[in-house]
Amino acid sequence: MSTPMHSTATRTTVAPVTHDAAELVLVDIARGRYAPGDTLDLATIVREHGVTPGDVQLALYELRRMRVVVRAPFSHAHVVVWHRRFNEVLLDDLVRMIAIAATRAPSFEQLDEPEHRTPACVAHGLELEPDVAHFLDLARSIVQVLSPSARQHVLDDVLLPLEILCSTSAVVAHGMTPALGATVRGAIVDLMEVAAHYGDWAQVPALAADYVTALGLDEPRVAQHD
């Protein structure tokens, strides 16, 4: 459930946001409880998760903002539109925001450490592969140089769903086999971190894009017919 941002004299901090009911629905999707095209029923979510109808209404708004669900035309029904390739859309959005941050050439050592937090996946009993966790943590640090509103967008609408929908549970439930193995993916993230550490910001967006390609689905080839 989102909490309002509190204005400050310097506007250098962003109020923390929680997504309790939204996270629960994301976890349901990650575990295969809902598939693309399924309709989310408010009463079912209330009953299964012990939350209030108001919590669910706010969660549906947040999930629409994340582009994980949409409201069906001419009705109040909410339909899951997330699918096995949609993580790549979120990751591409993250790469775009990393590229914007890189243009500001921040000093990596001077970036504030992100506020200590329990990753959403861990809080819900999910796990991330080490390279995925490393990449998302690195992105979380880099985007600190963005404006408060842009940073909040990344944290709430990109990183939060990715932490859950890139989990090992989601990979298994939805058959999301990455194009490249963990060793290669980890090496790309290490190179990205080194480039950021030494201020070679021109390399960071390209490495981030390479990582998204490596983490993208290794779809089976379409059978060729004579």
Side-chain angles (χ1 to χ4, degrees):
M1 178 172 59
S2 296
T3 55
M5 291 180 56
H6 299 284
S7 61
T8 64
T10 60
R11 294 187 181 275
T12 57
T13 60
V14 178
V17 177
T18 59
H19 295 258
D20 298 334
E23 287 180 15
L24 292 171
V25 175
L26 288 172
V27 171
D28 282 342
I29 295 172
R31 289 176 169 157
R33 170 68 174 81
Y34 297 110
D38 284 350
T39 298
L40 297 176
D41 179 68
L42 187 149
T44 299
I45 298 171
V46 168
R47 182 179 67 254
E48 291 182 351
H49 293 298
V51 294
T52 69
D55 291 335
V56 178
Q57 291 287 5
L58 180 57
L60 293 175
Y61 165 76
E62 292 171 342
L63 293 166
R64 292 200 308 271
R65 196 180 62 209
M66 296 174 196
R67 296 170 292 168
V68 172
V69 305
V70 296
R71 177 177 286 166
F74 311 112
S75 77
H76 296 293
H78 284 77
V79 180
V80 175
V81 292
W82 181 89
H83 55 84
R84 48 190 276 125
R85 298 214 72 113
F86 188 74
N87 283 359
E88 296 169 35
V89 175
L90 293 171
L91 287 163
D92 285 341
D93 194 8
L94 183 57
V95 170
R96 180 176 63 84
M97 301 307 288
I98 289 173
I100 294 172
T103 63
R104 304 186 180 185
S107 171
F108 202 57
E109 287 82 0
Q110 293 178 0
L111 291 176
D112 294 333
E113 287 291 330
E115 182 181 353
H116 179 71
R117 57 185 290 280
T118 301
C121 59
V122 174
H124 296 286
L126 305 177
E127 295 181 356
L128 288 171
E129 289 289 347
D131 64 284
V132 180
H134 187 188
F135 177 74
L136 297 181
D137 283 344
L138 185 58
R140 187 178 298 277
S141 296
I142 292 173
V143 301
Q144 289 184 93
V145 303
L146 299 174
S147 68
S149 61
R151 183 167 72 250
Q152 202 72 67
H153 161 69
V154 176
L155 297 179
D156 295 343
D157 303 334
V158 181
L159 285 172
L160 174 65
L162 283 174
E163 281 189 345
I164 294 174
L165 297 172
C166 284
S167 65
T168 54
S169 293
V171 169
V172 172
H174 298 280
M176 299 189 296
T177 303
L180 296 177
T183 300
V184 176
R185 300 196 313 263
I188 296 172
V189 181
D190 288 342
L191 289 172
M192 181 178 162
E193 184 171 29
V194 169
H197 179 80
Y198 287 104
D200 191 4
W201 287 98
Q203 298 297 321
V204 171
L207 288 166
D210 288 344
Y211 181 77
V212 172
T213 300
L215 190 63
L217 300 189
D218 185 16
E219 298 283 10
R221 293 183 180 180
V222 177
Q224 299 294 321
H225 301 283
D226 294 332

